[in-house]
Each structure stands twice: as structure tokens, then as C-alpha cells.
Amino acid sequence: MASQFAGRTVLVAGAGVSGLAAAEVLVAAGARTMVSDDRAAALESLPAGAEAVTGLPEGVELIVTGPGRRPDHPLVAEAAVRGIEVVGEPELAWRLGQERADPPVWLVVTGTNGKTTCTGMLAAILRAAGLDAVACGNIGYPVVSAVAAGHAVLAVELSSFQLHWSPSVVPAAGLVLNVAEDHLDWHGGLDAYAAAKARALTGPVAVAGIDDPIAARLLHECPAPTKVGATLGEPGPGQLGIVGEQLVDRAFPASREIRQRESGDPAPRVASSGEGVVLADVADVTPGGPPGLTDALAAAALARAHGVGPGAVREGLAGFRPGPHRSALVGTVGGVRYVDDSKATNPHAADAALAAQPAGRIVWVLGGLLKGAHVDELVARHADRLAGAVVIGTDRAEIVDALARHAPQIPATEVTEGDDEVMSSAVRRAAALARPGDVVLLAPAAASMDQFRDYAERGEAFAAAVAALGTRAGSEAGEQGA
């Protein structure tokens, strides 16, 4: 059967990773595929059969936009005047998937923080159950590529931007982990941001981290017939939570494992209270601590909604390890530990990164683009543990003011825009504030695009600066001993 896109003229607006993937599948589907991008270099390596264009050419019937393009962008406004539909790459993936005789199952993860870790945990659990599953979406692998590859089950991480541009997506099960101030400049306010996140809860099963008040409200208000809460407390009916040192399911106690890794799998363990099924031990979960355990419970809920049994949940969680730039120890110099959590791109994530550090003093490296968020509450909450702060990035002034109000006792220093090698300077200043036993933590609470390509480059710059600091310290020690 011919694709619905065959013979249509489609503009892919943005030649990033997801845009190029979209262009490739559109060409394969028989669409006349045009690609535009403000960066001329990005148009030099288009898929065969795609045309590089500028503006909005005549004849375009559909626009597939990059996720970061705001609804008030001139291209979107012009499309509205001309009656041209604008969608995102995940929406394109959904429509292509529905053309298959066996459409893939979408298990969608969103939230302000923790969604990448949760999506990775979910994919690991699904694979442990023997399913043809892959993590995709905002995690780095475009959903259209996963659909084109024919995968049966998709663990899909979606940002608020992607959900905004995906009006038709109805996941088999969807999750909102948490909602805190982020991307308010894009959405125009917290209510609109939360409403975009709530689009993940439109399917038959909705899951939310109910310890978060906004996520709990979205779950309560959503239309899903089955609503499941994930909590760090003891779970009630319809919830997953923690009893003693065990992750317990009281939402899907009769859930049947689709695939057993070994014949003769033991019967599910029953919680000590006699109610619910034990899925895993707290010790099985990495990263640990409240954020990691919430991610694990939420991932387990989505997997259980798809019929995955407790054995696969435990196996998947036990084998999962988080990606880089998430509370990763990158070096120890002079008795000071240097930890990279560059993925903490908003105050909510930075709060979790600070809380996850062992007891002791912290020298905090932070700053960048706040995107309309505020840091006063964050600074006040952790002021007693701070030994100092080094502030970088465009929105330094707001952060420095918050530190002066809520942590006036700590030394705070700014790395100005004129400083060479911003991160090298920041690490040297942090080292000067630290003493043996302290942690120097990169948890920016802000986006990176003002000074770095992305959060990964920022984290890599931090690690390189720490390595250089260690080399210099070793050299100086050698000279003193000579």
C-alpha cells in the first residue's frame, strides 16, 4: 500500500539530527522532500533525493519542523496564513507507524527532569523481557528512524516542544514524571508548559510521579481510563511505590509477563505486607536516591502496563547504567571530588543533583540560560551545604543576586564573558574555594547554548578542565619533590 506521503510536497524545516532523519524517511515514502535551514553548512549533506531550499516554497503541503521552533516563529505564522499544517518529527513517525500492518507500541516518557534516565530504564526492562524494543525520541535516536527500522515497542522520550508539535500521538501508556519551571520563554508560562506535558497522558494508561504536585494534578485531570501513580512512599491501590527496601507494584498485580527469559521463572515475590508484587530491590537501582528510584518506579509502571513481568523489571533495572553528564565523577584532585551533572539544565534538575551528593561541603559551578526559570528557592534550599559558588553564562546577574540574598555567607565569583576558556577558568576558581573532602559540582541549573554547543560539550569541557587541573597538580608535586 502506498504511503499517505507519496506524491506530496513536504518541507522539513531544520536540518538537525531529527530533520535529516525525517527527510530520509519522507524520500523513501515517495514524498517530494525539501529541507531548509538557516545554517548553509547543514544543507550540504542531505539524504539523496532531498532538495535544499530557502523560505517557504510554493506547493508545500506539509511542514515538519524542528522541535525548538516556537509557535510564533515567522515560518509557522506564514504556514497558518497559507493553510499548511505544521507538525514535528514524532508526529511524522506516528503517522508512518500507523501505516504498518502491526503499528509499533508507543510507551511515552516526559517530564522536566529524569526522563532520559527513565526512558533508558524502560528500554532495558523491555529488552530484558525479550521484546524488540528501542529507546528513541529526545534521547537522541529519532522516532522516525526507530519506526523505519521496524521496531515493535518504542520507549519514546518526548520534550514539551515535541509534544506540542505532535497532536495525533496517543501512546499505549504515557508518563509525566514531574513538572517544574523550564522553557517558560518558549511556552509563555507554567500552565502552557504543563499542558504540553499532559499530552503524554491521552492514551489508555496514564502514569505520573505523584510525589510531584503538578504531575499528580495532570494525572487526576487526564482522560485515561487507567491511572497509575509512582511514589517513593508505600503504594496504595493503583500505585507503585517502596515498601521497606523493595519496589512494589499494587497497580498491575496480575500483570502477565509477555516473554520469560528462562523457562521455569520463579513465581513473583509477594510484598511483605501481603499486598502487591515485588519488582526489584532498592539496591538493584542505579542511580539510587529519590530521583533514581522515582525513575525506576515510573519505568516499571510503563513496562507493567505493557504486560512485562517482575523478573524482567528486576533484570532490566539491575543491568541499567545512566548515560554521561549525570552526577558522574570525573576526577579527584587534592582530595576534592569533581562531579559532572551538566544534564542539570534547569533548577529542578540541579536540586536533584545537589541533593544526591553525600554529606559534606559543595563548591557549586552553575549558570547559563535560565529560560525564564528562577533559582531563589534552589539556592535557599542548599545554602547550608555550599562552600562557594562559581557562576558562568548569560544569566549570571540573576544567579549572583540570588546567592547574595540566600547564601550571603559563601564566596561567589563570576566568570565573565571576556574570560578565555570559560570552563577552565571556572574549574580553577572552584578548586581555589575547595578543600580536601569537598565536592566541586557542575550542576548549572540552566541551558548551555549561550557558551557551548549543548550540555554534553559543557560537561566534556568540565572534565577536560579537571584533567588539566590534575596534570598541573601532579607536575607541581613532582617539582617540589625534585
Side-chain angles (χ1 to χ4, degrees):
M1 183 177 71
S3 169
Q4 62 187 293
F5 298 100
R8 299 186 69 190
T9 300
V10 182
L11 171 65
V12 177
V17 173
S18 63
L20 293 177
E24 184 175 359
V25 299
L26 283 166
V27 170
R32 181 187 177 191
T33 305
M34 302 175 174
V35 183
S36 66
D37 199 294
D38 292 338
R39 304 161 299 159
L43 299 173
E44 294 175 358
S45 301
L46 299 183
E51 311 169 37
V53 299
T54 58
L56 181 52
E58 292 296 325
V60 169
E61 302 167 73
L62 176 70
I63 298 173
V64 179
T65 180
R69 182 169 279 105
R70 289 166 46 151
D72 59 359
H73 189 279
L75 177 68
V76 179
E78 184 178 355
V81 170
R82 291 167 56 176
I84 303 171
E85 185 181 18
V86 181
V87 302
E89 172 262 322
E91 174 72 14
L92 174 64
W94 174 263
R95 296 183 187 185
L96 287 166
Q98 296 306 299
E99 295 179 350
R100 285 174 27 181
D102 55 342
V105 173
W106 285 50
L107 303 176
V108 169
V109 176
T110 195
T112 301
N113 299 301
K115 53 187 178 290
T116 297
T117 297
C118 184
T119 304
M121 287 177 169
L122 173 60
I125 293 168
L126 296 170
R127 288 193 294 267
L131 297 169
D132 174 21
V134 64
C136 57
N138 197 52
I139 203 166
Y141 180 45
V143 193
V144 288
S145 299
V147 170
H151 293 292
V153 186
L154 308 181
V156 188
E157 176 188 328
L158 293 181
S159 69
S160 59
F161 303 159
Q162 291 171 313
L163 285 161
H164 175 88
W165 294 118
S166 300
S168 302
V169 172
V170 180
L175 160 70
V176 175
L177 269 171
N178 46 57
V179 179
E181 285 189 340
D182 199 16
H183 302 302
L184 303 189
D185 53 346
W186 198 95
H187 290 281
L190 184 58
D191 288 345
Y193 173 60
K197 294 293 189 186
R199 290 193 175 190
L201 305 180
T202 56
V205 179
V207 181
I210 57 173
D211 296 335
D212 180 275
I214 299 180
R217 174 177 61 81
L218 295 179
L219 181 67
H220 175 73
E221 295 173 351
C222 80
T226 300
K227 302 180 183 183
V228 179
T231 175
L232 293 175
E234 185 167 334
Q239 297 177 355
L240 281 74
I242 296 178
V243 179
E245 293 297 312
Q246 296 175 324
L247 279 64
V248 173
D249 174 9
R250 291 195 64 199
F252 306 100
S255 186
R256 176 177 58 84
E257 188 162 7
I258 291 176
R259 309 214 185 260
Q260 294 186 336
R261 301 285 289 177
E262 302 174 6
S263 59
D265 231 6
R269 293 182 291 166
V270 178
S272 58
S273 65
E275 298 181 351
V277 175
V278 175
L279 301 177
D281 295 330
V282 168
D284 293 328
V285 178
T286 302
L293 291 171
T294 300
D295 293 344
L297 288 163
L302 291 175
R304 296 287 279 166
H306 190 55
V308 171
V313 173
R314 179 168 190 166
E315 182 181 342
L317 290 176
F320 174 77
R321 293 296 178 270
H325 313 299
R326 295 165 176 83
S327 290
L329 177 65
V330 297
T332 301
V333 182
V336 176
R337 299 170 65 249
Y338 291 80
V339 175
D340 165 21
D341 206 315
S342 184
K343 188 63 167 65
T345 58
N346 56 63
H348 191 264
D351 180 46
L354 287 158
Q357 299 311 307
R361 303 188 339 148
I362 298 171
V363 177
W364 188 12
V365 180
L366 74 159
L369 293 170
L370 288 173
K371 301 170 293 183
H374 303 287
V375 296
D376 286 79
E377 184 178 341
L378 173 66
V379 172
R381 184 178 296 120
H382 297 281
D384 291 345
R385 293 192 61 193
L386 298 179
V390 179
V391 185
I392 65 174
T394 298
D395 292 332
R396 296 189 312 279
E398 182 173 342
I399 295 170
V400 170
D401 287 348
L403 288 164
R405 284 192 296 272
H406 303 292
Q409 77 281 7
I410 71 163
T413 179
E414 292 183 68
V415 180
T416 65
E417 296 294 342
D419 286 359
D420 294 332
E421 298 181 356
V422 167
M423 193 58 75
S424 295
S425 180
V427 167
R428 288 194 300 270
R429 296 187 189 197
L433 295 172
R435 68 189 187 199
D438 289 352
V439 171
V440 171
L441 173 66
L442 172 66
S448 58
M449 289 81 73
D450 55 337
Q451 294 177 309
F452 302 93
R453 181 180 65 251
D454 50 28
Y455 76 84
E457 184 181 58
R458 179 170 61 188
E460 290 160 4
F462 178 77
V466 172
L469 189 70
T471 299
R472 185 166 62 252
S475 175
E476 291 173 355
E479 290 175 2
Q480 291 171 4

